[in-house]
Structures are given as C-alpha cells and as structure tokens.
Amino acid sequence: IKFPFAPFHLDAMKKLQDLSNQEEIREFLWIGFRESAKTAVLRGFLTWLALFKKAKYILIGSYTIENAEANLYSIIVELQTNPRILTDFDMAKILPDAGKDEKGFNRIKKYLLQTGVLFQAITTQKSPRGALQRQDRPDFCLLDDIETLKTSMSEVVTQSTLRFIEELKTAMDAKTGKVVYNANHFSDLGVVQNLVEQKDRMYYLN
C-alpha cells in the first residue's frame, strides 16, 4: 500500500465485509471513476477470502478472458510475493505445486490452492452454466469491466451480457453465492444502467 485509502475505499470495504458475513443480500455494485483503485481493493478482498477460506470457489469474470486472466494473475503474484502474506501464512502449505498440472497454472484460467480454494477466470461471452469444483458450485464472483464504451452502444452485446448475469446467478451456490460488480457507467441504456435500476436489492456505491 503506497497511498492512504480514500473514504470511499473504506465504505467499499465495509460493504464487502457485510456482503461476506450475511446471506440476505447477495450482490454489490460498485461504480467509480477510472484509476480509483477499485480493482486493486477487490483483488485484495478476493485474496483475503482465499487465505481465510471464506470462499471455496471464486470466479473472476470480464468481457474479455484476457482481462479476467490478468486479474487472476495479479492475485497469484500477491500470494507468491507479498511480504506480509508470506510472514503471516505458511504459503508452502497453501500455494500449489506449479509442477503438477492439476494444481498449477492452466494458462492462468484456473488456480487451485492446496487448501481446496479454486480461482477461475471466465468471460461474459461464454455461458457460466456447469461450473463445478468437485461438488461445489461457485460461491463468489467478481465481475470486472463487463462493459466498455463500445459494448455499451451495442444492444446485442448488452442483452447477451444481461443473460450471462442471470445465468451466472443460477450457476452460483444457491445458499452462499455472492456477486460483486466493479463497473464504470458509460450509457443510460447499457448493462450497468440496468444494474443501477436494481440497486435497491443489493449493496451499492457510486
């Protein structure tokens, strides 16, 4: 951490904590300006979920699979190199043996810790149905950059992404599944605007 947290960061952290500790509200929509460190905060939260085994199966989604994989890679680097994490946790018992295909990198699309916590990168351009880790359905999902200025102008892409979100929620664990939307607001007709119109049933920060 190189700079102090802004008040909205602390507000987001409180909402993330509340999201993880209760079952009534399952979604959190965070809208903010670019370069506001939203993604960094959320990646840190996913790292916390994994290290303390608050989630078993974590999805990281984006419009492009490349962006989702980049977020997963950043989390892996933190787990492997962050001095505070290495001091506080016995990472030799947590990090996978990268030499074993079933436990290591899979083109950074999946990353399975020895504790059984699985990270998986996904794209909104492919149905999330059928996601399983052994018998477990995903219990947490971060959707980051699921809409761009270009896609927000396409009714076809907008409807496709909205269908993806509905499919995702049915694919998540029925009792514990949670979704966080890390978003920028590009259009009054796009995916994010649709989520804003549903904000009364979720945690919301703008």
Side-chain angles (χ1 to χ4, degrees):
I1 300 172
K2 298 180 180 179
F3 302 100
F5 290 115
F8 69 87
H9 289 137
L10 301 178
D11 193 2
M13 292 175 191
K14 177 62 167 60
K15 286 178 168 59
L16 289 167
Q17 183 180 44
D18 291 343
L19 182 72
S20 66
N21 288 335
Q22 53 78 55
E23 295 184 0
E24 289 74 23
I25 300 177
R26 300 290 189 88
E27 297 164 85
F28 172 31
L29 172 59
W30 187 3
I31 300 174
F33 57 92
R34 289 194 174 276
E35 306 302 327
S36 60
K38 302 193 311 297
T39 300
V41 169
L42 291 168
R43 287 196 299 241
F45 178 69
L46 297 189
T47 303
W48 176 80
L49 287 176
L51 288 172
F52 287 94
K53 294 187 282 188
K54 299 285 186 179
K56 297 179 181 178
Y57 187 177
I58 301 171
L59 300 179
I60 303 174
S62 187
Y63 177 67
T64 67
I65 190 62
E66 291 81 8
N67 190 72
E69 290 177 349
N71 277 326
L72 175 52
Y73 179 77
S74 294
I75 291 172
I76 293 168
V77 170
E78 283 298 302
L79 289 170
Q80 292 177 337
T81 65
N82 185 297
R84 293 186 178 183
I85 291 176
L86 297 177
T87 297
D88 292 343
F89 296 89
D90 184 356
M91 297 308 291
K93 296 181 179 179
I94 296 176
L95 291 173
D97 179 354
K100 296 180 180 179
D101 293 339
E102 72 276 14
K103 286 190 175 182
F105 291 98
N106 180 14
R107 292 180 298 174
I108 326 180
K109 283 184 171 62
K110 288 186 177 182
Y111 195 67
L112 178 61
L113 302 180
Q114 291 187 54
T115 55
V117 176
L118 176 67
F119 288 97
Q120 182 176 350
I122 61 173
T123 169
T124 60
Q125 300 177 66
K126 184 177 180 180
S127 173
R129 290 181 179 176
L132 284 173
Q133 163 63 3
R134 298 186 177 91
Q135 300 301 316
D136 295 323
R137 287 174 176 255
D139 51 2
F140 200 91
C141 180
L142 168 63
L143 293 181
D144 176 66
D145 283 343
I146 59 173
E147 183 170 62
T148 67
L149 179 59
K150 182 177 180 180
T151 64
S152 70
M153 297 178 181
S154 169
E155 175 67 15
V156 173
V157 176
T158 295
Q159 292 304 316
S160 174
T161 304
L162 291 173
R163 285 194 299 272
F164 168 89
I165 291 172
E166 291 308 310
E167 287 186 8
L168 172 70
K169 287 188 286 188
T170 62
M172 302 286 287
D173 186 280
K175 293 183 178 180
T176 62
K178 310 287 178 62
V179 182
V180 172
Y181 309 95
N182 180 21
N184 298 287
H185 196 281
F186 294 108
S187 167
D188 289 338
L189 301 174
V191 173
V192 175
Q193 178 60 33
N194 183 281
L195 293 172
V196 169
E197 292 169 1
Q198 304 175 57
K199 66 182 181 182
D200 290 344
R201 63 176 178 76
M202 61 180 79
Y203 290 111
Y204 176 67
L205 180 60
N206 185 0

